[in-house]
Coordinates of all heavy atoms in Angstrom, one line a residue:
M1 N 17.9 45.0 -46.8 CA 18.9 44.5 -45.9 C 18.4 43.2 -45.1 O 19.2 42.3 -44.9 CB 19.4 45.6 -44.9 CG 20.1 46.7 -45.6 SD 21.5 46.2 -46.6 CE 22.8 46.3 -45.6
R2 N 17.2 43.3 -44.7 CA 16.6 42.2 -44.0 C 16.6 40.9 -44.9 O 16.8 39.8 -44.4 CB 15.2 42.4 -43.5 CG 15.1 43.4 -42.4 CD 13.7 43.7 -41.9 NE 13.7 44.9 -41.2 CZ 13.0 45.0 -40.1 NH1 12.3 44.0 -39.6 NH2 13.0 46.1 -39.4
H3 N 16.4 41.1 -46.2 CA 16.4 40.0 -47.1 C 17.8 39.4 -47.2 O 17.9 38.1 -47.1 CB 15.9 40.5 -48.5 CG 16.0 39.4 -49.5 ND1 15.2 38.3 -49.5 CD2 16.9 39.2 -50.5 CE1 15.5 37.5 -50.5 NE2 16.5 38.0 -51.2
L4 N 18.8 40.2 -47.2 CA 20.1 39.7 -47.3 C 20.5 39.0 -45.9 O 21.2 37.9 -46.0 CB 21.1 40.8 -47.6 CG 21.1 41.4 -49.0 CD1 22.0 42.6 -49.1 CD2 21.3 40.3 -50.0
A5 N 20.0 39.6 -44.9 CA 20.3 38.9 -43.5 C 19.6 37.5 -43.5 O 20.1 36.6 -43.0 CB 19.8 39.8 -42.4
R6 N 18.4 37.4 -44.1 CA 17.7 36.2 -44.1 C 18.5 35.1 -45.0 O 18.5 34.0 -44.7 CB 16.3 36.3 -44.6 CG 15.4 36.8 -43.5 CD 13.9 36.6 -43.9 NE 13.5 37.4 -45.1 CZ 13.1 38.6 -45.2 NH1 12.9 39.3 -44.0 NH2 12.8 39.2 -46.3
L7 N 19.0 35.6 -46.1 CA 19.9 34.8 -46.9 C 21.1 34.2 -46.2 O 21.4 33.1 -46.4 CB 20.3 35.5 -48.2 CG 19.3 35.8 -49.3 CD1 20.0 36.7 -50.3 CD2 18.8 34.5 -49.9
A8 N 21.6 35.0 -45.3 CA 22.8 34.6 -44.6 C 22.4 33.5 -43.6 O 23.2 32.6 -43.2 CB 23.3 35.8 -43.8
D9 N 21.2 33.4 -43.2 CA 20.7 32.3 -42.4 C 20.8 30.9 -43.1 O 20.9 29.9 -42.4 CB 19.2 32.4 -42.0 CG 19.0 33.7 -41.0 OD1 20.0 34.0 -40.3 OD2 17.9 34.1 -41.0
Y10 N 20.9 30.9 -44.4 CA 21.1 29.6 -45.1 C 22.5 29.4 -45.6 O 22.8 28.7 -46.6 CB 20.1 29.7 -46.3 CG 18.6 29.8 -46.0 CD1 18.0 30.9 -45.9 CD2 18.0 28.5 -45.6 CE1 16.6 31.0 -45.5 CE2 16.7 28.6 -45.2 CZ 16.0 29.8 -45.2 OH 14.7 29.8 -44.7
C11 N 23.4 30.0 -44.9 CA 24.8 29.9 -45.3 C 25.4 28.5 -45.3 O 26.3 28.1 -46.1 CB 25.7 30.8 -44.5 SG 25.8 30.4 -42.7
S12 N 24.8 27.6 -44.5 CA 25.2 26.3 -44.5 C 24.9 25.6 -45.8 O 25.6 24.6 -46.2 CB 24.6 25.5 -43.3 OG 23.2 25.4 -43.4
I13 N 23.9 26.0 -46.5 CA 23.5 25.5 -47.8 C 24.2 26.3 -48.9 O 24.7 25.6 -49.9 CB 22.0 25.5 -48.0 CG1 21.3 24.7 -46.9 CG2 21.6 25.1 -49.3 CD1 19.8 24.9 -46.8
T14 N 24.2 27.6 -48.9 CA 24.6 28.4 -50.0 C 26.1 28.9 -49.9 O 26.7 29.4 -50.8 CB 23.7 29.7 -50.1 OG1 23.9 30.5 -48.9 CG2 22.3 29.3 -50.3
N15 N 26.7 28.8 -48.7 CA 28.0 29.3 -48.4 C 28.1 30.9 -48.5 O 29.1 31.4 -48.8 CB 29.1 28.7 -49.2 CG 30.5 28.8 -48.6 OD1 30.6 28.9 -47.4 ND2 31.4 28.9 -49.5
M16 N 26.9 31.5 -48.5 CA 26.9 32.9 -48.5 C 26.6 33.5 -47.2 O 25.4 33.9 -46.9 CB 25.8 33.4 -49.6 CG 26.2 33.1 -51.0 SD 27.7 33.9 -51.6 CE 27.2 35.5 -51.8
H17 N 27.6 33.5 -46.3 CA 27.4 34.1 -45.0 C 27.5 35.6 -45.1 O 27.8 36.1 -46.2 CB 28.4 33.5 -44.0 CG 29.8 33.4 -44.5 ND1 30.6 34.5 -44.6 CD2 30.4 32.4 -45.1 CE1 31.8 34.1 -45.1 NE2 31.7 32.8 -45.4
T18 N 27.3 36.3 -44.0 CA 27.3 37.8 -44.1 C 28.6 38.4 -44.8 O 28.4 39.4 -45.5 CB 27.1 38.4 -42.7 OG1 28.1 38.0 -41.8 CG2 25.8 38.1 -42.1
K19 N 29.7 37.8 -44.5 CA 30.9 38.4 -45.1 C 30.8 38.3 -46.6 O 31.2 39.2 -47.4 CB 32.2 37.7 -44.5 CG 33.4 38.3 -45.0 CD 34.6 37.7 -44.3 CE 35.9 38.5 -44.7 NZ 36.8 38.6 -43.6
N20 N 30.5 37.1 -47.2 CA 30.4 36.9 -48.6 C 29.3 37.8 -49.2 O 29.5 38.4 -50.3 CB 30.1 35.4 -49.0 CG 31.3 34.6 -48.9 OD1 32.5 35.1 -48.7 ND2 31.1 33.3 -48.8
L21 N 28.2 37.9 -48.6 CA 27.1 38.8 -49.0 C 27.5 40.2 -49.1 O 27.2 41.0 -50.0 CB 25.8 38.6 -48.2 CG 25.1 37.3 -48.4 CD1 24.1 37.1 -47.2 CD2 24.4 37.2 -49.7
A22 N 28.3 40.6 -48.1 CA 28.8 42.0 -48.0 C 29.8 42.3 -49.1 O 29.7 43.3 -49.7 CB 29.4 42.3 -46.6
I23 N 30.6 41.4 -49.4 CA 31.6 41.6 -50.5 C 30.9 41.7 -51.8 O 31.2 42.6 -52.6 CB 32.6 40.4 -50.6 CG1 33.6 40.4 -49.3 CG2 33.4 40.4 -51.8 CD1 34.4 39.2 -49.1
V24 N 29.9 40.9 -52.0 CA 29.2 41.0 -53.3 C 28.3 42.2 -53.4 O 28.2 42.9 -54.5 CB 28.3 39.7 -53.5 CG1 27.3 39.8 -54.7 CG2 29.2 38.5 -53.6
W25 N 27.5 42.5 -52.4 CA 26.6 43.6 -52.4 C 27.0 45.0 -52.1 O 26.4 46.0 -52.4 CB 25.4 43.2 -51.5 CG 24.5 42.2 -52.2 CD1 24.5 40.9 -52.0 CD2 23.5 42.4 -53.1 NE1 23.6 40.3 -52.8 CE2 22.9 41.2 -53.5 CE3 23.0 43.6 -53.8 CZ2 21.9 41.1 -54.4 CZ3 22.0 43.5 -54.7 CH2 21.5 42.2 -55.0
A26 N 28.2 45.1 -51.4 CA 28.6 46.4 -50.9 C 28.9 47.4 -52.0 O 28.4 48.6 -51.9 CB 29.9 46.2 -50.1
P27 N 29.5 47.0 -53.2 CA 29.7 48.0 -54.2 C 28.4 48.5 -54.8 O 28.4 49.6 -55.3 CB 30.5 47.3 -55.3 CG 31.2 46.2 -54.5 CD 30.2 45.8 -53.4
N28 N 27.3 47.8 -54.7 CA 26.0 48.2 -55.2 C 25.3 49.1 -54.2 O 24.6 50.0 -54.5 CB 25.2 47.1 -55.7 CG 25.8 46.3 -56.9 OD1 26.1 46.9 -57.9 ND2 26.1 45.0 -56.8
L29 N 25.4 48.6 -53.0 CA 24.6 49.3 -51.9 C 25.3 50.7 -51.5 O 24.5 51.6 -51.1 CB 24.5 48.4 -50.7 CG 23.6 47.2 -50.9 CD1 23.7 46.2 -49.7 CD2 22.2 47.5 -51.2
L30 N 26.5 50.7 -51.6 CA 27.3 51.9 -51.2 C 28.1 52.4 -52.3 O 29.3 52.6 -52.2 CB 28.2 51.6 -50.0 CG 27.5 51.1 -48.7 CD1 28.5 50.7 -47.6 CD2 26.5 52.1 -48.2
R31 N 27.5 52.6 -53.5 CA 28.2 53.0 -54.7 C 28.9 54.3 -54.4 O 28.4 55.3 -53.9 CB 27.2 53.2 -55.8 CG 27.8 53.4 -57.1 CD 26.7 53.3 -58.2 NE 27.4 53.5 -59.5 CZ 26.8 53.5 -60.6 NH1 25.4 53.2 -60.6 NH2 27.3 53.7 -61.7
S32 N 30.2 54.3 -54.9 CA 31.0 55.5 -54.8 C 31.5 56.0 -56.1 O 32.1 55.3 -56.9 CB 32.2 55.2 -53.9 OG 33.1 56.2 -53.9
K33 N 31.2 57.3 -56.4 CA 31.6 57.9 -57.7 C 33.1 58.0 -57.7 O 33.7 58.1 -58.8 CB 30.9 59.2 -57.9 CG 29.4 59.0 -58.1 CD 28.8 60.1 -58.9 CE 27.3 60.0 -59.0 NZ 26.9 59.3 -60.2
Q34 N 33.7 58.1 -56.5 CA 35.2 58.3 -56.5 C 35.8 57.0 -57.0 O 36.9 57.1 -57.7 CB 35.6 58.5 -55.0 CG 35.3 59.9 -54.5 CD 35.7 60.1 -53.1 OE1 35.7 59.1 -52.3 NE2 36.1 61.3 -52.7
I35 N 35.3 55.9 -56.6 CA 35.9 54.6 -57.1 C 35.8 54.5 -58.6 O 36.7 54.0 -59.3 CB 35.3 53.4 -56.4 CG1 35.6 53.4 -54.9 CG2 35.7 52.1 -57.0 CD1 34.9 52.3 -54.1
E36 N 34.6 54.9 -59.1 CA 34.4 54.9 -60.6 C 35.2 55.8 -61.4 O 35.4 55.6 -62.6 CB 32.9 55.1 -60.9 CG 32.0 54.0 -60.3 CD 30.5 54.3 -60.4 OE1 30.2 55.3 -61.0 OE2 29.7 53.5 -59.9
S37 N 35.7 56.9 -60.7 CA 36.5 57.9 -61.5 C 38.0 57.3 -61.8 O 38.4 56.4 -61.1 CB 36.6 59.2 -60.7 OG 37.4 59.0 -59.6
A38 N 38.6 58.0 -62.6 CA 39.9 57.6 -63.0 C 40.9 57.7 -61.9 O 42.0 57.0 -62.0 CB 40.4 58.3 -64.3
C39 N 40.7 58.6 -60.9 CA 41.7 58.9 -59.9 C 41.8 57.7 -58.9 O 42.8 57.6 -58.3 CB 41.4 60.2 -59.2 SG 39.9 60.2 -58.2
F40 N 40.8 56.9 -58.8 CA 40.8 55.7 -57.9 C 41.1 54.5 -58.7 O 40.4 54.1 -59.6 CB 39.5 55.5 -57.2 CG 39.4 56.0 -55.8 CD1 39.4 57.4 -55.6 CD2 39.5 55.1 -54.8 CE1 39.3 57.8 -54.3 CE2 39.4 55.7 -53.5 CZ 39.4 57.0 -53.2
S41 N 42.3 53.9 -58.5 CA 42.5 52.6 -59.2 C 43.5 51.8 -58.3 O 44.0 52.2 -57.4 CB 43.3 52.9 -60.5 OG 44.5 53.5 -60.3
G42 N 43.5 50.5 -58.5 CA 44.4 49.6 -57.8 C 44.1 49.5 -56.4 O 43.0 49.2 -56.0
T43 N 45.1 49.7 -55.6 CA 45.1 49.5 -54.2 C 44.0 50.5 -53.5 O 43.3 50.1 -52.6 CB 46.4 49.8 -53.5 OG1 47.4 48.9 -54.1 CG2 46.4 49.5 -52.0
A44 N 44.0 51.7 -53.9 CA 43.1 52.7 -53.3 C 41.6 52.2 -53.5 O 40.8 52.3 -52.6 CB 43.3 54.1 -53.9
A45 N 41.3 51.8 -54.7 CA 39.9 51.3 -55.0 C 39.7 50.1 -54.2 O 38.5 49.9 -53.6 CB 39.8 51.0 -56.5
F46 N 40.6 49.1 -54.1 CA 40.4 47.9 -53.3 C 40.2 48.3 -51.9 O 39.2 47.6 -51.2 CB 41.6 47.0 -53.4 CG 41.5 45.8 -52.6 CD1 40.8 44.7 -52.9 CD2 42.2 45.7 -51.3 CE1 40.6 43.6 -52.1 CE2 42.1 44.6 -50.5 CZ 41.3 43.5 -50.9
M47 N 40.9 49.2 -51.3 CA 40.7 49.6 -49.9 C 39.3 50.2 -49.7 O 38.7 49.9 -48.6 CB 41.8 50.6 -49.4 CG 43.1 49.9 -49.3 SD 43.2 48.4 -48.2 CE 42.9 49.1 -46.7
E48 N 38.9 51.0 -50.6 CA 37.5 51.7 -50.5 C 36.4 50.6 -50.5 O 35.5 50.6 -49.7 CB 37.3 52.6 -51.6 CG 36.1 53.5 -51.5 CD 36.1 54.5 -50.4 OE1 37.2 54.8 -49.9 OE2 35.0 54.9 -50.0
V49 N 36.6 49.6 -51.4 CA 35.6 48.6 -51.4 C 35.6 47.7 -50.2 O 34.6 47.2 -49.7 CB 35.7 47.7 -52.7 CG1 34.9 46.4 -52.7 CG2 35.4 48.5 -54.0
R50 N 36.8 47.5 -49.7 CA 36.9 46.7 -48.5 C 36.2 47.4 -47.3 O 35.5 46.8 -46.5 CB 38.5 46.6 -48.1 CG 38.7 45.8 -46.8 CD 38.3 44.4 -46.9 NE 38.5 43.8 -45.6 CZ 37.6 43.1 -44.9 NH1 36.4 43.0 -45.5 NH2 37.8 42.6 -43.8
I51 N 36.3 48.7 -47.1 CA 35.7 49.5 -46.1 C 34.1 49.4 -46.4 O 33.4 49.1 -45.4 CB 36.1 50.9 -46.2 CG1 37.5 51.1 -45.7 CG2 35.1 51.9 -45.3 CD1 38.2 52.4 -45.9
Q52 N 33.7 49.5 -47.6 CA 32.3 49.3 -47.9 C 31.7 47.9 -47.4 O 30.7 47.8 -46.9 CB 32.0 49.5 -49.4 CG 32.2 50.8 -49.9 CD 32.0 51.0 -51.4 OE1 32.1 49.9 -52.1 NE2 31.8 52.1 -51.9
S53 N 32.5 46.9 -47.7 CA 32.1 45.6 -47.3 C 32.0 45.3 -45.8 O 31.1 44.7 -45.3 CB 32.9 44.5 -48.0 OG 34.2 44.5 -47.5
V54 N 32.9 46.0 -45.1 CA 32.9 45.9 -43.7 C 31.6 46.6 -43.1 O 31.0 46.1 -42.2 CB 34.2 46.6 -43.1 CG1 34.1 46.7 -41.5 CG2 35.4 45.6 -43.4
V55 N 31.3 47.7 -43.7 CA 30.1 48.5 -43.2 C 28.9 47.6 -43.5 O 28.0 47.4 -42.7 CB 30.0 49.8 -43.9 CG1 28.7 50.5 -43.7 CG2 31.1 50.7 -43.5
V56 N 28.8 47.1 -44.7 CA 27.6 46.2 -45.1 C 27.5 45.0 -44.2 O 26.5 44.6 -43.7 CB 27.5 45.9 -46.6 CG1 26.5 44.8 -46.9 CG2 27.4 47.2 -47.4
E57 N 28.7 44.4 -43.9 CA 28.7 43.2 -43.0 C 28.2 43.5 -41.6 O 27.4 42.8 -41.1 CB 30.1 42.6 -43.0 CG 30.2 41.3 -42.1 CD 31.6 40.7 -42.1 OE1 32.5 41.3 -42.6 OE2 31.7 39.7 -41.5
F58 N 28.6 44.7 -41.1 CA 28.2 45.2 -39.8 C 26.6 45.3 -39.9 O 25.9 44.8 -38.9 CB 28.8 46.5 -39.4 CG 28.3 47.0 -38.1 CD1 28.8 46.6 -36.9 CD2 27.3 48.0 -38.1 CE1 28.4 47.1 -35.8 CE2 26.9 48.5 -36.9 CZ 27.3 48.1 -35.8
I59 N 26.1 45.9 -40.9 CA 24.7 46.2 -41.0 C 23.9 44.9 -41.0 O 22.9 44.6 -40.4 CB 24.3 47.0 -42.2 CG1 24.9 48.4 -42.0 CG2 22.8 47.1 -42.5 CD1 24.8 49.4 -43.2
L60 N 24.5 44.0 -41.8 CA 23.8 42.6 -41.9 C 23.8 41.8 -40.6 O 22.8 41.2 -40.2 CB 24.5 41.7 -43.0 CG 24.2 42.2 -44.4 CD1 25.0 41.4 -45.4 CD2 22.7 42.2 -44.8
N61 N 24.9 42.0 -39.8 CA 25.0 41.3 -38.5 C 24.1 42.0 -37.4 O 23.8 41.3 -36.5 CB 26.5 41.2 -38.0 CG 27.3 40.2 -38.9 OD1 26.8 39.2 -39.2 ND2 28.5 40.5 -39.1
H62 N 23.7 43.2 -37.7 CA 22.9 43.9 -36.7 C 21.6 44.4 -37.3 O 21.1 45.5 -36.8 CB 23.8 45.1 -36.1 CG 25.0 44.6 -35.4 ND1 26.2 44.4 -36.0 CD2 25.2 44.2 -34.1 CE1 27.1 44.0 -35.2 NE2 26.5 43.8 -34.0
V63 N 21.1 43.8 -38.3 CA 20.0 44.3 -39.0 C 18.7 44.4 -38.0 O 17.9 45.3 -38.2 CB 19.7 43.5 -40.2 CG1 19.1 42.1 -39.9 CG2 18.7 44.2 -41.2
D64 N 18.6 43.4 -37.1 CA 17.5 43.5 -36.2 C 17.4 44.7 -35.3 O 16.4 45.3 -35.0 CB 17.4 42.2 -35.3 CG 17.1 40.9 -36.1 OD1 16.5 41.1 -37.2 OD2 17.5 39.9 -35.7
V65 N 18.6 45.1 -34.8 CA 18.7 46.3 -34.0 C 18.6 47.6 -34.8 O 17.8 48.5 -34.5 CB 20.0 46.3 -33.2 CG1 20.2 47.6 -32.4 CG2 20.1 45.1 -32.3
L66 N 19.3 47.7 -35.9 CA 19.3 48.9 -36.7 C 18.0 49.2 -37.3 O 17.8 50.4 -37.6 CB 20.4 48.8 -37.8 CG 21.9 48.7 -37.3 CD1 22.8 48.4 -38.4 CD2 22.3 50.0 -36.6
F67 N 17.3 48.2 -37.7 CA 16.0 48.4 -38.4 C 14.8 48.1 -37.5 O 13.7 47.7 -38.0 CB 16.0 47.6 -39.7 CG 17.0 48.1 -40.7 CD1 18.2 47.4 -40.8 CD2 16.8 49.3 -41.4 CE1 19.2 47.9 -41.8 CE2 17.7 49.8 -42.3 CZ 18.9 49.1 -42.4
S68 N 15.0 48.1 -36.2 CA 13.9 47.8 -35.3 C 12.9 48.9 -35.2 O 13.3 50.1 -35.4 CB 14.4 47.4 -33.9 OG 14.8 48.5 -33.2
S69 N 11.7 48.7 -34.9 CA 10.7 49.7 -34.8 C 11.1 50.5 -33.5 O 10.8 51.7 -33.5 CB 9.3 49.2 -34.7 OG 9.2 48.3 -33.6
K70 N 11.6 49.9 -32.5 CA 12.0 50.7 -31.3 C 13.0 51.7 -31.6 O 12.9 52.9 -31.2 CB 12.5 49.7 -30.3 CG 12.8 50.3 -28.9 CD 13.3 49.3 -27.9 CE 13.6 50.0 -26.6 NZ 14.1 49.1 -25.6
L71 N 14.1 51.4 -32.3 CA 15.1 52.3 -32.7 C 14.5 53.4 -33.6 O 14.9 54.6 -33.4 CB 16.3 51.7 -33.4 CG 17.5 52.5 -33.8 CD1 18.1 53.2 -32.6 CD2 18.4 51.7 -34.6
S72 N 13.7 53.1 -34.5 CA 13.1 54.0 -35.4 C 12.2 55.1 -34.6 O 12.3 56.3 -34.9 CB 12.1 53.4 -36.4 OG 12.9 52.6 -37.2
S73 N 11.5 54.6 -33.5 CA 10.7 55.6 -32.8 C 11.6 56.5 -31.9 O 11.3 57.6 -31.7 CB 9.8 54.8 -31.9 OG 10.4 54.0 -30.9
V74 N 12.8 55.9 -31.5 CA 13.7 56.8 -30.7 C 14.3 57.8 -31.5 O 14.4 59.0 -31.2 CB 14.9 55.9 -30.1 CG1 16.0 56.7 -29.5 CG2 14.3 55.0 -29.0
I75 N 14.6 57.5 -32.8 CA 15.2 58.4 -33.7 C 14.1 59.5 -34.1 O 14.4 60.7 -34.1 CB 15.8 57.7 -35.0 CG1 17.0 56.9 -34.6 CG2 16.1 58.8 -36.1 CD1 17.4 56.0 -35.7
R76 N 12.9 59.0 -34.4 CA 11.8 59.9 -34.8 C 11.5 60.9 -33.7 O 11.2 62.1 -33.9 CB 10.6 59.1 -35.2 CG 9.5 59.9 -35.7 CD 8.3 59.0 -36.2 NE 8.7 57.6 -36.4 CZ 8.2 56.6 -35.7 NH1 7.3 56.8 -34.8 NH2 8.6 55.4 -35.8
D77 N 11.5 60.4 -32.4 CA 11.1 61.3 -31.3 C 12.2 62.2 -30.8 O 12.0 63.1 -30.0 CB 10.6 60.4 -30.1 CG 9.3 59.6 -30.5 OD1 8.6 60.1 -31.4 OD2 9.1 58.7 -29.8
G78 N 13.4 61.9 -31.3 CA 14.6 62.8 -31.0 C 15.1 62.5 -29.6 O 15.7 63.4 -29.0
A79 N 14.8 61.3 -29.0 CA 15.2 61.0 -27.7 C 16.8 60.9 -27.7 O 17.5 60.4 -28.6 CB 14.7 59.6 -27.3
G80 N 17.3 61.5 -26.6 CA 18.8 61.5 -26.5 C 19.5 62.7 -27.2 O 20.6 62.8 -27.2
V81 N 18.7 63.5 -27.8 CA 19.3 64.6 -28.6 C 19.4 65.8 -27.7 O 18.5 66.2 -26.9 CB 18.5 65.0 -29.8 CG1 19.0 66.2 -30.5 CG2 18.4 63.8 -30.7
C82 N 20.6 66.4 -27.5 CA 20.8 67.6 -26.7 C 20.2 68.8 -27.3 O 20.3 68.9 -28.6 CB 22.3 67.8 -26.4 SG 23.1 66.4 -25.6
P83 N 19.6 69.6 -26.5 CA 19.0 70.9 -27.1 C 20.1 71.9 -27.5 O 21.1 71.9 -27.1 CB 18.2 71.4 -26.0 CG 18.6 70.7 -24.7 CD 19.3 69.5 -25.1

C-alpha cells in the first residue's frame, strides 16, 4: 500500500492519483468471490467494485496513519480495549 501511495505522489507525471490507483488495484486487493460468481452481474457487480475502490482510495490517502508504527503498537498492546 505504501508503494501505491508513493506512486500517487507522481500523479502530475503519470495521472495516476489515488482515485485512479484505487480503481485499478481494488479488484485485486479486495478480491470478492461473490463478484466472480454468476449471481453478481451488471449493476450489482459495478456497485461492489465501486465500494472496493472507495475503501482502497481511503487506505491510500491515509497510509501513513493506518500503517504507522504508533498505531501498530496501540493495536498490539490492546490500548483502548474494554475488558
Side-chain angles (χ1 to χ4, degrees):
M1 292 309 266
R2 288 178 198 226
H3 175 70
L4 292 177
R6 280 194 301 270
L7 286 176
D9 291 339
Y10 296 96
C11 66
S12 62
I13 299 167
T14 65
N15 199 33
M16 291 300 286
H17 46 80
T18 55
K19 185 171 188 149
N20 284 344
L21 289 167
I23 290 169
V24 171
W25 284 96
N28 294 305
L29 295 172
L30 302 176
R31 188 172 181 177
S32 171
K33 295 210 184 264
Q34 289 177 329
I35 293 175
E36 295 173 2
S37 71
C39 67
F40 260 76
S41 61
T43 305
F46 176 76
M47 291 305 295
E48 185 73 19
V49 170
R50 176 70 184 124
I51 291 168
Q52 290 175 342
S53 69
V54 168
V55 170
V56 171
E57 183 179 3
F58 176 84
I59 293 169
L60 291 175
N61 285 326
H62 299 92
V63 73
D64 292 335
V65 174
L66 294 171
F67 296 100
S68 73
S69 58
K70 183 178 179 180
L71 181 62
S72 297
S73 66
V74 168
I75 292 170
R76 187 176 343 116
D77 296 340
V81 176
C82 297

